[in-house]
């Protein structure tokens, strides 16, 4: 069965520190990959997505992610975090299910706390 | 344009009562999804609609849970004989087609007392 693993459940950083959140998936077919973010008290928002082309994708607020097909990974990065990046981050993979339909499979999420 | 909307935003109900949660997807989106998010946990997939049909109901936790969708529009998630473990935020999302990114609503916070 398809699955998505996010290795870090909780991450605590100081402002200006660099961020890398791991995401690995298990699915042998063609994938579309996403990172979603949920700020405190807000609903889930799309941060960035990969469909095809350049494996290094840039999203909003200075975030980027790199798709490494050989490693089945799609790690999220930001060179310098801000207090406002405090949120929960979810990696998701769009997988083909039986019957020819696609659905998103989410990781368990990583809670990021950034201290001023 | 308008995003995904859900109602009610909060629902408190007594154990054993039935509840109905509503989702209005973005106009023109053919795919609609329901998820559950328990406190401090990730997203738990419940059901997926493509148009009117539900090709994937694998996430519904029990036969107390059911959902329907009218046309390529409103969907309702019904929980019968609610239990305390049903307390969670129920999220709805829609996408233009199933392969594309999903847009999430604000959720309905259900509390079963």
């Amino acid at each position: 069965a398809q699955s998505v693993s996010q290795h870090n459940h909780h991450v605590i950083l100081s402002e200006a520190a660099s961020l890398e959140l791991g995401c690995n998936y298990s699915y042998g077919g063609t994938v579309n990959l996403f990172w979603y973010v949920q700020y405190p008290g807000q609903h889930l928002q799309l941060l960035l997505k990969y469909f095809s082309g350049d494996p290094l994708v840039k999203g909003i607020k200075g975030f980027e992610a790199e798709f490494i097909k050989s490693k089945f990974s799609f790690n999220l990065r930001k060179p310098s975090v801000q207090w406002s990046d405090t949120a929960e981050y979810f990696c998701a993979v769009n997988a083909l299910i039986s019957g020819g339909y696609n659905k998103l499979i989410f990781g368990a999420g990583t809670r990021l706390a950034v201290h001023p | 344009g308008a995003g995904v909307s859900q109602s009610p935003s909060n629902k408190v109900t007594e154990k054993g009562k039935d509840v109905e949660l509503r989702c209005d997807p973005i106009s023109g989106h053919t795919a609609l999804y329901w998820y559950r998010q328990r406190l401090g946990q990730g997203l738990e997939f419940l059901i997926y609609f493509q148009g009117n049909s539900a090709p994937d109901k694998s996430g519904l936790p029990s036969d107390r849970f059911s959902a329907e969708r009218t046309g390529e529009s409103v969907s309702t998630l019904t929980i019968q004989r609610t239990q305390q473990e049903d307390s969670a935020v129920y999220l709805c999302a829609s996408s233009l087609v199933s392969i594309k990114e999903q847009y999430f609503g604000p959720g309905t916070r259900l509390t079963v007392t």
Side-chain angles (χ1 to χ4, degrees), chain A residues 15-29:
Chain A
E15 275 194 317
S18 64
L19 170 72
E20 181 159 2
L21 302 182
C23 174
N24 285 87
Y25 63 93
S26 66
Y27 181 66

Side-chain angles (χ1 to χ4, degrees), chain A residues 32 34 36 38 43-44 46 49 51 88 90 94 97 101-104 106 108 111, chain B residues 33 35 37 40 42-43 45 48 50 55-56 58 98-102 104-106:
Chain A
N32 297 327
F34 306 84
Y36 282 84
Q38 188 170 30
H43 58 277
L44 276 160
L46 182 68
K49 61 187 178 184
F51 278 56
E88 188 158 18
F90 294 92
N94 199 317
I97 61 173
Y101 297 96
N102 293 81
K103 76 173 187 183
L104 271 184
F106 281 86
R111 287 184 181 273
Chain B
Y33 308 79
Y35 297 89
Q37 188 175 28
L43 278 80
F45 168 80
Y48 154 56
Q50 181 61 45
D56 190 349
S58 62
S98 67
I99 199 170
K100 295 294 186 183
E101 61 266 33
Q102 297 180 15
F104 283 81

Side-chain angles (χ1 to χ4, degrees), chain A residues 47-48 58-65 76-80 85:
Chain A
L47 197 55
L48 48 78
K58 297 193 183 296
I60 59 172
K61 304 184 180 184
F63 285 90
E64 65 179 31
L76 180 70
R77 299 194 294 249
K78 186 171 183 178
S80 177
D85 294 325

